[in-house]
Amino acid sequence: RELERQFSNELQLSSSGSGPLKWTAGVFYFRARGIYDAATAYSRDVPNNLFGPFEAVIPYGNQLTESVSGYAQGTYEIVPDTNLTLGARYTYEKRSITGRTEGLPFGATTPVLLGVTTPASITFKKPTFRVALDHRFSPEVLAYVSFNTGFKSGGFNTQFTSDPSFQPETIKAYEAGVKTDLLDRRLRLNLSSYYYDYKNIQVQKVGVAATGIINGASAEIYGAELELDALVTDAFRINGGAAYTHATFTDFRNAPFTTPV
């Protein structure tokens, strides 16, 4: 069976004035425990059994995650109708793991110990930030550009003792777009384009009897999106969208693959 317990709490402060500066700041705490107790995988394909002399492999895993972060973001009207947004976040996260793997031999009723996960912990500390600029050309037309960095912490694969930990994933995200309300606000047309640059992107691998996470060195995604919402009459509305996406791994030298048999 799989057990999961989570707790989170956030304290946030925001400005309430009508001046040129609007800001938000806060702190966030997150704690989670994920447990395999136990997750059993069976294979009874004799004589070509995946687990050799074992008809079942039984992993036990216990992973604890604790994360604390602080953040702040402010938007300032630097000139009329033009806003600059700056934001930053600092994240501290720690993960720890314990566990073991047992195997059930064919014809046996009692499993045997195959390996014990060496108790381990890893810590991540990462600042991320955001910069954005927007300008309102008219009450109906707004254009913007933004640059953001993102962070997803690493961790442990809990299903098998031989699986290594995986590293944090980071991203640099660029975006530009236009938002419009035209024809006396009866036509809304939004267009955006983006480019995402990933490092150590986290990828799910599928093994013989379990899934896990490994890192691909780098990947990129870019594309564009169009959204349309038209009020043709007071009783007839049309909305729709279109998107183009290009995604590729630019470096993934340890990519797993399988050959069908």
Side-chain angles (χ1 to χ4, degrees):
R1 59 179 180 168
E2 299 178 25
L3 304 175
E4 182 77 21
R5 297 185 181 94
Q6 294 185 1
F7 171 82
S8 64
N9 198 13
E10 184 172 6
L11 173 64
Q12 190 176 95
L13 300 175
S14 300
S15 61
S16 59
S18 58
L21 176 64
K22 298 177 176 61
W23 56 268
T24 300
V27 292
F28 179 78
Y29 174 77
F30 175 81
R31 177 186 172 95
R33 185 179 294 277
I35 300 173
Y36 284 111
D37 185 27
T40 305
Y42 290 94
S43 177
R44 300 186 175 101
D45 186 15
V46 181
N48 300 313
N49 189 54
L50 294 174
F51 302 144
F54 301 100
E55 68 169 319
V57 171
I58 312 166
Y60 293 81
N62 191 323
Q63 181 168 214
L64 175 65
T65 302
E66 290 187 291
S67 179
V68 180
S69 59
Y71 60 89
Q73 179 170 295
T75 298
Y76 186 76
E77 188 176 18
I78 52 178
V79 296
D81 299 321
T82 301
N83 297 307
L84 175 65
T85 299
L86 300 176
R89 184 185 189 101
Y90 184 82
T91 302
Y92 170 89
E93 186 161 314
K94 182 179 181 180
R95 296 198 181 207
S96 57
I97 187 173
T98 58
R100 70 185 188 276
T101 301
E102 298 178 350
L104 183 64
F106 281 95
T109 57
T110 302
V112 297
L113 182 65
L114 300 181
V116 176
T117 304
T118 302
S121 64
I122 47 179
T123 300
F124 309 100
K125 303 174 184 179
K126 184 67 176 179
T128 54
F129 62 91
R130 165 178 169 81
V131 180
L133 186 69
D134 67 78
H135 177 73
R136 187 168 290 280
F137 292 92
S138 69
E140 295 81 20
V141 180
L142 173 73
Y144 67 92
V145 293
S146 68
F147 173 68
N148 303 272
T149 62
F151 159 77
K152 182 192 292 185
S153 69
F156 295 98
N157 288 300
T158 57
Q159 289 190 322
F160 286 102
T161 58
S162 59
D163 281 353
S165 60
F166 53 93
Q167 297 303 306
E169 171 185 306
T170 60
I171 183 176
K172 295 179 180 178
Y174 307 80
E175 185 174 351
V178 178
K179 296 180 181 290
T180 65
D181 284 306
L182 307 174
L183 304 179
D184 196 25
R185 299 186 179 274
R186 300 182 73 88
L187 173 63
R188 173 168 292 175
L189 193 64
N190 298 331
L191 176 65
S192 64
S193 59
Y194 58 90
Y195 174 78
Y196 297 158
D197 179 16
Y198 288 93
K199 300 299 181 187
N200 284 328
I201 185 169
Q202 294 172 5
V203 183
Q204 185 182 72
K205 67 165 185 173
V206 179
V208 172
T211 59
I213 301 295
I214 59 175
N215 292 105
S218 59
E220 66 177 12
I221 301 176
Y222 60 82
E225 296 181 352
L226 174 68
E227 296 178 347
L228 169 71
D229 190 353
L231 186 63
V232 181
T233 70
D234 290 340
F236 181 49
R237 178 187 296 272
I238 298 175
N239 58 62
Y244 169 78
T245 302
H246 173 90
T248 184
F249 287 102
T250 55
D251 187 6
F252 198 174
R253 303 182 190 185
N254 62 328
F257 65 93
T258 59
T259 301
V261 296

